[in-house]
Amino acid sequence: RDGAEQAVRPVDEAAVVASIHWRIPVAFGTNLPALGDNILYVADSLKAATAERISLQVFEPGMLIPVFSITEGVRDRKIEAGYTWLGYDAGKIPATPLVSAVPFGMEPWEFTAWYYEGGGRALTDELYAPHNVQPILCGIIGPETAGWFRKPIDSLEDFQGLKIRFAGLGGIVLQELGASVTMIPGGEIFQALEKGAIDATEFSLPVVDQQLGFDRVAKFNYFPGWHQTFTAAHLVVNRDVWQALPDQDRALIDMACTAGVIRNLSKGEALQGAVMAGFAAKGVSPRKFPLPILRELKKVTDKVLDEEARKDPAFARIRASQQAFLETYQNWKSHAYLPRDF
Amino acid sequence: MSAGDVLSVLMFVSFIVLIFTGFPVAWVLGGLAVIFTAIGIIARVDFNLPVFVNWDYSTLVADRIWDVMNNWVLVALPMFVFMGLMLDRSGIAQRLMTNFARLFGGVRGGMAVTVALIGILLAASTGIIGASVVLLALLGLPQMQALGYKPELAAGTVCAVGTLGILIPPSIMLVLMADRLAMPVGDLFLGALFPGLLLGSLFVCFILGYAWLVPEVAPVPANRQPVNRAVLADLGSAILPPALLIFAVLGSIFFGVATPTEAAGVGAFGATVLAWMNRQLDGEVFAQVLAETTRTTAYIFAIFIGATAYSLVLRGLGGDELIASLLKGLPFGPTGIVVAILFFTFLLGFFLDWIEISLIILPLVGPVVIELGFNIVWFTVLFAVCLQTSFLTPPVGFAIFYLKGVAPAGMTVGTIYRGVVPFILLQVLGLTLVFLIPEIVTWLPAQAYGSQ
Amino acid sequence: MLILPHTAFSAWVECQVRTWGQRLSWIWILLLGVIVLNVIMRYLFAEGRIEFEEIQWHLYSFGFLFGLSFAYVSDSHIRVDVVREKLSPDTRAWVELYGILLLLLPFILLVLVSAIPFVQYSWANSEVSQAPGGLPLRWLVKGLLPLSFLLLLIVTLARLSRVMAFLFGFPAGIDDGSASPTEPLSQQEPPP
Ligand code: NA
Ligand code: NA
């Protein structure tokens, strides 16, 4: 027995010594609080835990590779790994919105519950396996704002003809409601909104939007973020690279990402209140969509999601899994938590 | 120095040397990307040096060209080129400039001043230097040449004024900088406005002063008529339509009808309508304008494509870290650091283009400057002026290259190099003024948004 | 000034590229029309369409990518001529030969090698635009990249044949007369 153990040992040690240096292109600037800076936390903790043996060198958006191409670059092993929002792959993998951000979707902790304990992880892996990519949930934030509007939205009719910049499935929903949805480039949003070429835009968390200055030019900030109830970010690693890693390195990276998820959620939740408190002084009024509007948005969203599920089997599979999980979870959620408005 | 550092420097030097062979700049850039990928692989495989580029990495070039392809903002470029060519080939530009010359006929340098003023207006509608330089060259160069202007002055004026577009909003450069520093782009837009106008005024003053001191560099028209009512009426009919066109472009942005990109299309459409109304639009003119638009657009984009491959490999070799470490090693006090950063950026601008510099340096120095207690809007605008200058500084000045593409026969890159020198000095003067009087930057954003 | 002789191959290639380049340049009118239409529809009828926004950059990509070859045939790509103007025609031809062999051809091959799998992947996944209501058939517009560089490869080989005809007399130059005008290697006129 002793002999066998000794024979195995040196092999393991050799594996441990191999250091990992990955260039990590990211989808969001690391100067954006919560949305973008989480990867720095992950990289730093890996560095500290391994005495710099595992180092992730972060490259700002567009420096190495266009933001929308990160997963594809990882697939072809042009780069070993990246940190991105999987929804950017929706053009090729239609089900990715379900695992990155979905209208009228789960709360952040519901999503992590589904991902870690409800089969979500296996489904995500399965979705990306044919693309030779290993996705690892590595960050999550809460709801975004429902957008910055130049005029108030009081009824569904106000969406009719509204010129709005809106991405993803939420954009399709608004189109169904008669809005004129545009995808003008990120760099032109501010000016288009200021001059009135568009009436409204969606972007991210208040703390991010504030940095972009939307609060200066659009005074109606709407909530709740129906179109993106959570936003998940993943570390995507080339599958060959991932499988060639020794077990302990995979475990280390997985741990760092799991820690990244809770740290990211905590930071995102912690920052927004103060930012919103400051809006009043700038003449911005946070508003909530009235319930009838939300009901209608939900109705159209369900229609759009059903349609997507009809077109793509993977979409249908993941959606069914999420719905089944939520149904069971609802038994707990509806009873266990205090109603806070009494 | 590491192996990557050595290769970065080598790649840099190769570029400077090879463009002087006269082989097209775009292909030198692209070719060096391949050569240095190969050298990087040899260095790693055969000499076991820590160099990270390999073929898989360099094939990212396809993704990066795709990023240029689906970049909606750049659609404005062919549209502004088309607009310039249409105004030029249909004779509208000539008529406009001739009439301006009659108006300012008595003023030496009047034609160059006209080009400068049009350039400043144009700067408010586009942020794409290739577009403004080409457009101004088409409008102004033939006329300045016909009047017997010194080619250096004509070329320098077009190049320098053409670069104002990236400083005066809207500007893609300011958008990128705001993004890098996570600051409101509105602050930067307003902050850059007065410095942009200041530089424009410096250019105008220089042209007037130079022409006054040395009359032969900018002769007045020989057959000049006195300005009377009839001349003015004539003037009106010649100037009004193109003036309306420029205001249609600006107006569609400022009244929220179109985004800056779309405004370029509106301008191109307007120029076509004008040419048609003047009965100067026949099949031949049309075909010429279109073919020329394709060629001009293509030589500009060839440089974009070559440059994206080049910078990918340079970055892979660690060129970024090399520049960053040089910058970090500067031993100065707070004001000294700002001056040193600007000077260093100015020097880098002789060889690199603004995208590279903004991506590499700005995220590095931004936090440092904020920590030192400087106003970040002020600093970023100073930085932007430095980068605007980089378009002008030889040997790698992209405004110079773009102008070369449409310059009349006989105007060589050497002529243009000489022509931009006084304007580079004016840029430095403008930079110094903004440095000494921060209110030039900070006043307007404070008025508009009540910030800082 | 350096005038390169044509070869049978180059005369045919350049003539085709010139003719088609001229015809396809009408794409700018199409682009202009789409932009104006989109602005009018959005501003007057609040009917902005993402399809129109995407068509814009599809058209523009087509224009500038195929323009690369068109501009090459007319030698419009920017050269720094400070030193070049002092070089003899022979030296210029050698620069051209080495430039094509060591810089341009390798670069074209790099782009082709990169772009083909890039398009294949898009095709294999029936990639569509990820914008709401965006256009389908993304592989088609991605395919413009390898196609345009294939064309650039052909015109580069044509130019290479001309440089070789000048330097080595092989392949043989042809007297193409007026059928296919010889293009000067540099656009410059000799000093007056
Ligand atoms: Na501008
Ligand atoms: Na320069």
Side-chain angles (χ1 to χ4, degrees):
Chain A
R1 267 194 73 173
D2 279 354
E5 229 180 87
Q6 273 173 1
V8 171
R9 262 243 172 94
V11 178
D12 275 357
E13 268 166 13
V16 170
V17 198
S19 65
I20 298 176
H21 176 90
W22 287 347
R23 280 172 288 193
I24 306 281
V26 299
F28 305 106
T30 57
N31 52 15
L32 298 175
L35 186 64
D37 61 4
N38 192 49
I39 184 66
L40 296 181
Y41 165 79
V42 173
D44 285 346
S45 43
L46 270 174
K47 208 181 208 172
T50 63
E52 306 204 4
R53 188 176 61 81
I54 301 183
S55 81
L56 310 183
Q57 186 188 3
V58 174
F59 281 87
E60 295 295 325
M63 281 185 85
L64 288 184
I65 182 167
V67 165
F68 295 143
S69 312
I70 291 178
T71 325
E72 191 175 339
V74 168
R75 165 192 177 264
D76 298 332
R77 211 174 163 173
K78 295 171 181 180
I79 36 173
E80 293 87 353
Y83 182 77
T84 188
W85 183 66
L86 297 182
Y88 288 146
D89 298 329
K92 297 186 201 87
I93 314 173
T96 55
L98 292 177
V99 294
S100 54
V102 58
F104 290 96
M106 305 176 174
E107 315 300 358
W109 67 89
E110 285 179 307
F111 179 79
T112 56
W114 171 76
Y115 181 85
Y116 290 119
E117 307 295 335
R121 185 173 202 154
L123 281 167
T124 314
D125 287 2
E126 189 188 316
L127 187 63
Y128 272 90
H131 300 272
N132 202 32
V133 167
Q134 178 65 48
I136 302 153
L137 182 64
C138 206
I140 196 166
I141 52 174
E144 303 198 328
T145 92
W148 295 84
F149 293 71
R150 285 163 58 92
K151 50 195 181 201
I153 300 289
D154 297 318
S155 68
L156 275 178
E157 283 72 58
D158 291 332
F159 281 114
Q160 198 68 45
L162 186 81
K163 291 171 275 187
I164 184 167
R165 184 198 192 269
F166 218 92
L169 294 173
I172 303 180
V173 172
L174 289 182
Q175 272 176 340
E176 296 261 326
L177 290 173
S180 162
V181 178
T182 158
M183 279 297 292
I184 58 171
E188 290 199 338
I189 303 176
F190 178 85
Q191 200 173 30
L193 191 61
E194 181 179 38
K195 306 294 183 199
I198 54 174
D199 304 315
T201 187
E202 172 269 348
F203 205 73
S204 185
L205 296 170
V207 66
V208 173
D209 292 359
Q210 174 193 249
Q211 288 195 345
L212 295 171
F214 295 148
D215 53 318
R216 269 92 179 275
V217 291
K219 294 302 177 194
F220 302 97
N221 186 199
Y222 270 94
F223 295 89
W226 60 274
H227 64 295
Q228 223 161 311
T229 53
F230 70 91
T231 302
H234 290 74
L235 184 74
V236 285
V237 186
N238 178 283
R239 218 172 144 82
D240 303 332
V241 171
W242 179 252
Q243 284 171 347
L245 288 181
D247 287 346
Q248 55 265 62
D249 283 353
R250 282 204 293 253
L252 274 166
I253 293 171
D254 199 54
M255 271 196 282
C257 272
T258 309
V261 170
I262 189 66
R263 294 299 292 261
N264 194 195
L265 182 61
S266 311
K267 186 162 191 185
E269 291 301 300
L271 289 176
Q272 312 309 324
V275 173
M276 289 186 60
F279 279 164
K282 298 175 181 170
V284 172
S285 53
R287 291 175 166 232
K288 284 187 149 188
F289 283 130
L291 279 181
I293 289 190
L294 286 176
R295 281 196 197 100
E296 189 62 27
L297 286 170
K298 169 88 164 71
K299 217 165 77 191
V300 180
T301 299
D302 287 341
K303 208 180 88 187
V304 168
L305 294 182
D306 287 343
E307 174 65 20
E308 291 293 316
R310 206 181 48 73
K311 285 190 292 195
D312 183 55
F315 196 104
R317 206 161 48 242
I318 297 177
R319 183 147 192 258
S321 163
Q322 291 183 338
Q323 280 174 331
F325 177 83
L326 283 179
E327 209 172 296
T328 314
Y329 177 70
Q330 188 60 24
N331 293 316
W332 161 253
K333 186 186 184 187
S334 59
H335 292 95
Y337 291 95
L338 262 179
R340 296 292 180 173
D341 51 355
F342 64 90
Chain B
M1 272 177 113
S2 72
D5 289 349
V6 174
L7 289 183
S8 303
V9 172
L10 218 59
M11 188 168 180
F12 213 63
V13 174
S14 312
F15 176 49
I16 306 297
V17 171
L18 285 178
I19 56 170
F20 283 105
T21 62
F23 198 65
V25 177
W27 310 144
V28 173
L29 284 164
L32 283 176
V34 185
I35 291 176
F36 275 82
T37 305
I39 295 179
I41 292 170
I42 293 170
R44 191 183 59 247
V45 175
D46 294 345
F47 298 92
N48 210 14
L49 293 168
V51 177
F52 291 105
V53 294
N54 56 39
W55 289 122
D56 286 338
Y57 173 78
S58 293
T59 55
L60 277 173
V61 71
D63 307 76
R64 287 167 69 103
I65 297 176
W66 169 243
D67 208 30
V68 176
M69 288 168 69
N70 69 28
N71 188 334
W72 190 22
V73 172
L74 290 175
V75 174
L77 197 147
M79 288 294 96
F80 275 122
V81 168
F82 176 93
M83 173 175 155
L85 285 160
M86 184 55 89
L87 291 175
D88 176 54
R89 300 289 191 269
S90 66
I92 296 173
Q94 196 202 347
R95 190 149 162 251
L96 170 75
M97 300 306 280
T98 319
N99 274 287
F100 266 125
R102 282 161 73 188
L103 187 62
F104 300 126
V107 187
R108 288 178 199 150
M111 186 63 94
V113 171
T114 309
V115 171
L117 293 179
I118 293 179
I120 293 169
L121 281 179
L122 193 66
S125 66
T126 177
I128 303 171
I129 288 189
S132 358
V133 167
V134 165
L135 210 148
L136 287 174
L138 292 168
L139 289 179
L141 273 192
Q143 277 70 31
M144 286 195 268
Q145 203 183 28
L147 284 179
Y149 271 51
K150 193 176 170 204
E152 280 84 355
L153 176 63
T157 306
V158 168
C159 270
V161 179
T163 59
L164 283 180
I166 205 151
L167 195 61
I168 295 178
S171 151
I172 183 71
M173 178 167 82
L174 296 179
V175 169
L176 183 90
M177 289 178 164
D179 181 58
R180 279 302 101 136
L181 294 174
M183 61 198 286
V185 68
D187 280 346
L188 272 190
F189 273 12
L190 290 184
L193 186 62
F194 282 146
L197 294 177
L198 171 73
L199 285 169
S201 324
L202 288 178
F203 296 161
V204 169
C205 293
F206 163 73
I207 294 165
L208 290 173
Y210 186 35
W212 183 69
L213 287 172
V214 194
E216 45 301 357
V217 297
V220 292
N223 53 348
R224 195 166 65 80
Q225 295 165 281
V227 179
N228 56 33
R229 198 163 287 186
V231 171
L232 278 178
D234 228 30
L235 266 173
S237 74
I239 294 173
L240 198 62
L244 280 180
L245 179 63
I246 290 179
F247 284 107
V249 174
L250 287 181
S252 61
I253 298 174
F254 282 91
F255 296 110
V257 177
T259 68
T261 305
E262 294 167 333
V266 172
F269 176 72
T272 314
V273 172
L274 276 189
W276 176 71
M277 284 185 354
N278 281 359
R279 296 168 210 287
Q280 277 148 336
L281 189 60
D282 53 36
E284 197 186 331
V285 169
F286 224 136
Q288 253 182 32
V289 168
L290 289 170
E292 206 49 52
T293 304
T294 310
R295 272 193 282 265
T296 309
T297 304
Y299 78 64
I300 295 176
F301 276 96
I303 293 184
F304 288 178
I305 290 175
T308 198
Y310 179 85
S311 61
L312 173 72
V313 176
L314 185 64
R315 184 159 292 148
L317 292 172
D320 288 8
E321 289 117 38
L322 176 63
I323 293 172
S325 65
L326 289 177
L327 196 62
K328 278 179 189 154
L330 295 173
F332 294 111
T335 310
I337 288 182
V338 173
V339 174
I341 291 171
L342 293 174
F343 184 68
F344 189 69
T345 309
F346 179 78
L347 286 187
L348 272 186
F350 278 77
F351 309 102
L352 288 181
D353 79 300
W354 69 269
I355 302 184
E356 297 314 309
I357 302 178
S358 328
L359 286 175
I360 302 168
I361 300 192
L362 208 49
L364 204 72
V365 300
V368 178
V369 172
I370 295 174
E371 210 168 285
L372 291 172
F374 291 103
N375 181 317
I376 189 67
V377 176
W378 168 75
F379 172 76
T380 312
V381 171
L382 282 172
F383 196 81
V385 175
C386 262
L387 290 192
Q388 182 219 343
T389 317
S390 77
F391 281 89
L392 293 175
T393 43
V396 186
F398 286 111
I400 297 169
F401 298 159
Y402 301 148
L403 174 61
K404 173 69 182 92
V406 281
M411 183 176 278
T412 63
V413 171
T415 316
I416 310 175
Y417 277 173
R418 287 191 296 279
V420 292
V421 172
F423 291 92
I424 294 169
L425 297 177
L426 291 173
Q427 290 278 133
V428 175
L429 174 62
L431 192 67
T432 314
L433 286 175
V434 177
F435 184 86
L436 296 176
I437 316 169
E439 287 77 16
I440 300 175
V441 175
T442 55
W443 184 78
L444 195 56
Q447 292 302 307
Y449 300 127
S451 59
Q452 271 94 37
Chain C
M1 177 148 115
L2 165 66
I3 294 179
L4 293 173
H6 259 297
T7 63
F9 172 57
S10 74
W12 182 80
V13 167
E14 296 196 2
C15 180
Q16 292 297 318
V17 170
R18 242 182 278 271
T19 315
W20 282 99
Q22 179 71 59
R23 285 183 194 158
L24 294 176
S25 292
W26 286 89
I27 200 150
W28 304 120
I29 295 294
L30 207 58
L31 173 56
L32 185 162
V34 173
I35 294 177
V36 171
L37 193 65
N38 195 40
V39 170
I40 292 176
M41 282 191 16
R42 194 180 58 225
Y43 189 67
L44 292 182
F45 307 106
E47 264 290 326
R49 305 226 59 106
I50 288 178
E51 295 91 313
F52 281 13
E53 293 170 0
E54 294 200 332
I55 287 175
Q56 287 174 33
W57 59 258
H58 284 40
L59 291 174
Y60 127 99
S61 292
F62 184 95
F64 85 76
L65 283 174
F66 285 93
L68 294 177
S69 303
F70 190 48
Y72 192 78
V73 166
S74 58
D75 199 27
S76 303
H77 289 292
I78 308 299
R79 300 167 182 274
V80 174
D81 51 13
V82 179
V83 176
R84 180 185 165 78
E85 60 193 357
K86 300 185 184 79
L87 301 179
S88 70
D90 262 26
T91 318
R92 288 190 194 189
W94 281 107
V95 164
E96 202 67 5
L97 181 74
Y98 281 117
I100 289 175
L101 290 177
L102 297 177
L103 296 166
L104 181 50
L105 283 179
F107 178 56
I108 293 175
L109 292 178
L110 173 69
V111 174
L112 282 175
V113 165
S114 320
I116 290 170
F118 177 72
V119 178
Q120 268 174 344
Y121 183 52
S122 173
W123 189 72
N125 288 283
S126 326
E127 189 185 3
V128 298
S129 160
Q130 36 140 339
L135 297 173
L137 301 180
R138 182 102 327 157
W139 59 270
L140 209 61
V141 56
K142 285 189 169 174
L144 294 175
L145 179 56
L147 278 181
S148 64
F149 268 75
L150 199 62
L151 181 65
L152 187 61
L153 177 65
I154 295 170
V155 296
T156 305
L157 292 176
R159 171 64 64 92
L160 183 64
S161 78
R162 295 179 64 180
V163 175
M164 286 171 63
F166 178 87
L167 285 173
F168 317 123
F170 176 83
I174 54 168
D175 183 13
D176 55 337
S178 58
S180 167
T182 320
E183 199 78 26
L185 189 51
S186 159
Q187 288 178 309
Q188 286 165 227
E189 302 299 327

